[in-house]
Amino acid sequence: MMPQNRWGLAILLIMAATKTAGAGGAAPRDVVACDTLVHLRVLMARIPSDPAAASTDLTGHPGCRRIARDRVGSPEHRAMIGGAPFECLAVTGEASCLWIMP
């Protein structure tokens, strides 16, 4: 069943990532982070129907990468696109904030 909106898809992605991280036990929880909001939006537009595949495959998205959730800090910038909120969050060890996939 396909969710009716992007928030439903985002929830499915978070659930899949949490399930995957919890299954290994030792793997830290991580998030997908992109250098620009454009990189993040392109990635979100190309998410396949399988949330588990989207949570691991960042091939072809050089502006995006996985980072440990514990490195993510507070919001530095916010944007609304189509009624959906996006945040650029401070990340420990990075020169600038990163746009985090909701």
Side-chain angles (χ1 to χ4, degrees), residues 5-89:
N5 60 42
R6 290 197 185 270
W7 283 112
L9 183 57
I11 290 169
L12 286 174
L13 285 170
I14 291 169
M15 288 171 46
T18 302
K19 189 176 201 179
T20 303
R29 293 187 179 183
D30 54 358
V31 295
V32 174
C34 298
D35 296 328
T36 67
L37 183 53
V38 172
H39 284 124
L40 178 61
R41 295 290 293 154
V42 168
L43 175 65
M44 291 176 71
R46 294 185 181 163
I47 291 175
S49 59
D50 179 8
S55 68
T56 58
D57 186 22
L58 294 176
T59 305
H61 299 284
C64 300
R65 59 195 172 277
R66 299 185 89 41
I67 60 170
R69 184 178 301 275
D70 61 358
R71 292 180 55 206
V72 177
S74 60
E76 291 187 4
H77 303 288
R78 291 189 170 112
M80 291 287 286
I81 299 176
F86 293 90
E87 293 183 324
C88 190
L89 303 174

